[in-house]
Amino acid sequence: MKPRKVTKAVFPVAGLGTRFLPATKSIPKEIMTLVDRPLIQYAIDEARAAGIKEFIFVTSRGKSALEDYFDHAPELESALRKSGKDDLLEILKDTNMDSGAIAYVRQNRAMGLGHAVWCARRLIGNEPFAVLLPDDVIAAERPCLLQMVEAYEETGGCMVAAMEVSPEKISSYGVLDVGQEGGNVMKVKGMVEKPKAKDAPSNLAVIGRYILTPKVLTNLNRMKQGAGGEIQLTDAIAEETKTKAGVYALRFRGQRYDCGSKIGFLQATVAFGLARPDLCNEFASYLHEVMAMQKAAQ
Ligand code: UTP
């Protein structure tokens, strides 16, 4: 029997974004712009491409710019219409959500990703759901969440997106124990959040895309603070590795950028800038120039 379709997605956006202070003092991290679109737009587009119909945001104080972003902007739209700027009106269409398709729930204290997802439990109900962290931006021919939905339709259970990470960086991630398994879809035996490099069960890290069963929400009901004093989503998913439904990891095809870190954001800006047909030539020659100047100065 095929598992139930995934039509709901949770976007936890209630974090403090301290790595981008002072910018994030007044701008939500998810509104920061990669070329000309905020990070959240990339996540929404990926979710839509995977068949998501209901979008649940877990927000906090100071995130109202996010809510405005998905609303109609009557004055702007009428000014563009009057001046015949149909191309810009078309671009704005992606930012509008159907009535009732978007819901906001508040996390009143940043107690960790697990707690943020738990805050959305009543809106999720008793069905499988996706979780997308908008600061992970993934460039892929086939959107990452779509790859996961396709794999999940074969496996059921929970599905996490996995990528290989160097030993120096592994302690920043949730890490998978997949035994000797090869292939792109692997059965997960265990998961550990932010292990020391010497204790990491593999070099496979979990990144910010998940498909979860409602059972994970039940596990979160009982969760205590884990690594870093936060309620960890990893711990609640790890409990599912012991069940019949199980947990699977997909080694997705694509390049993930950690836009929650300064270096990741800069790398993504270069990659997405170069991928844009309207910008790539001028941008590439500028980058060449800068590199040449830097080399000459050394
Ligand atoms: P991060 O670990 O990147 O934390 O959260 P952060 O607060 O956003 O950023 P830094 O580390 O202070 O710079 C990963 C994702 O989980 C969400 C964040 O909004 C981000 O999308 N999150 C985290 C919550 O929604 N609530 C939390 O309590 C923690």
Side-chain angles (χ1 to χ4, degrees), residues 11-21 24 29-30 57-60 63 107 109-117 119 131-136 172 193-194 208 210 230-232 258-261:
F11 300 83
V13 293
L16 299 174
T18 53
R19 283 170 290 170
F20 274 98
L21 281 171
T24 44
K29 176 168 68 171
E30 302 73 22
F57 285 79
V58 183
T59 67
S60 58
K63 301 275 178 169
Q107 183 189 28
R109 269 197 303 150
M111 289 170 67
L113 178 58
H115 181 257
V117 171
C119 289
V131 177
L132 294 93
L133 307 191
D135 40 9
D136 272 348
S172 309
E193 184 64 28
K194 300 189 173 63
Y210 311 80
E230 296 192 330
I231 295 179
Q232 296 291 350
D258 175 10
C259 291
S261 76

Side-chain angles (χ1 to χ4, degrees), residues 129-188:
F129 60 101
V131 177
L132 294 93
L133 307 191
D135 40 9
D136 272 348
V137 177
I138 302 171
E141 231 165 78
R142 227 174 147 57
C144 179
L145 191 66
L146 178 62
Q147 296 176 39
M148 293 175 74
V149 164
E150 287 168 351
Y152 162 81
E153 281 171 358
E154 301 302 320
T155 59
C158 292
M159 172 79 55
V160 298
M163 73 173 204
E164 275 155 25
V165 164
S166 65
E168 309 83 72
K169 297 205 173 136
I170 202 83
S171 61
S172 309
Y173 292 87
V175 182
L176 297 169
D177 178 1
V178 290
Q180 297 297 313
E181 288 211 36
N184 286 341
V185 181
M186 298 157 282
K187 183 100 199 264
V188 177

Side-chain angles (χ1 to χ4, degrees), residues 4 19 31 33 41 66 81-82 114 118 136 139 146 148 151 165 167 184 205 233-234 238 240 256:
R4 193 166 161 181
R19 283 170 290 170
I31 286 290
T33 311
Q41 185 73 57
L66 264 170
R81 207 166 291 116
K82 270 191 204 139
W118 179 81
D136 272 348
L146 178 62
M148 293 175 74
V165 164
N184 286 341
L233 185 59
T234 303
E240 289 306 287
R256 171 259 191 181

Side-chain angles (χ1 to χ4, degrees), residues 74-281:
E75 283 167 21
L76 173 63
E77 286 165 25
S78 102
L80 293 174
R81 207 166 291 116
K82 270 191 204 139
S83 51
K85 298 202 165 133
D86 293 344
D87 50 336
L88 296 181
L89 278 168
E90 200 52 40
I91 287 173
L92 281 186
K93 269 191 188 159
D94 283 346
T95 68
N96 296 144
M97 289 283 190
D98 293 339
S99 291
I102 193 160
Y104 298 94
V105 63
R106 203 86 163 196
Q107 183 189 28
N108 58 13
R109 269 197 303 150
M111 289 170 67
L113 178 58
H115 181 257
V117 171
W118 179 81
C119 289
R121 66 199 179 283
R122 291 201 180 87
L123 294 168
I124 297 164
N126 192 27
E127 55 183 289
F129 60 101
V131 177
L132 294 93
L133 307 191
D135 40 9
D136 272 348
V137 177
I138 302 171
E141 231 165 78
R142 227 174 147 57
C144 179
L145 191 66
L146 178 62
Q147 296 176 39
M148 293 175 74
V149 164
E150 287 168 351
Y152 162 81
E153 281 171 358
E154 301 302 320
T155 59
C158 292
M159 172 79 55
V160 298
M163 73 173 204
E164 275 155 25
V165 164
S166 65
E168 309 83 72
K169 297 205 173 136
I170 202 83
S171 61
S172 309
Y173 292 87
V175 182
L176 297 169
D177 178 1
V178 290
Q180 297 297 313
E181 288 211 36
N184 286 341
V185 181
M186 298 157 282
K187 183 100 199 264
V188 177
K189 290 183 176 168
M191 292 168 80
V192 37
E193 184 64 28
K194 300 189 173 63
K196 291 198 177 111
K198 65 176 177 47
D199 302 325
S202 75
N203 65 347
L204 276 179
V206 177
I207 61 128
R209 298 289 183 275
Y210 311 80
I211 294 175
L212 303 176
T213 60
K215 189 63 200 323
V216 172
L217 298 173
T218 319
N219 299 347
L220 281 169
N221 281 333
R222 289 182 272 106
M223 278 293 140
K224 304 212 169 63
Q225 289 168 335
E230 296 192 330
I231 295 179
Q232 296 291 350
L233 185 59
T234 303
D235 296 344
I237 303 172
E239 288 202 3
E240 289 306 287
T241 59
K242 299 170 210 140
T243 66
K244 190 160 168 263
V247 178
Y248 296 83
L250 174 73
R251 215 191 294 251
F252 63 98
R253 288 177 303 280
Q255 178 66 44
R256 171 259 191 181
Y257 296 94
D258 175 10
C259 291
S261 76
K262 293 190 231 326
I263 192 71
F265 198 93
L266 290 170
Q267 288 165 349
T269 301
V270 172
F272 280 75
L274 290 175
R276 279 278 293 263
D278 55 333
L279 300 171
C280 68
N281 289 342

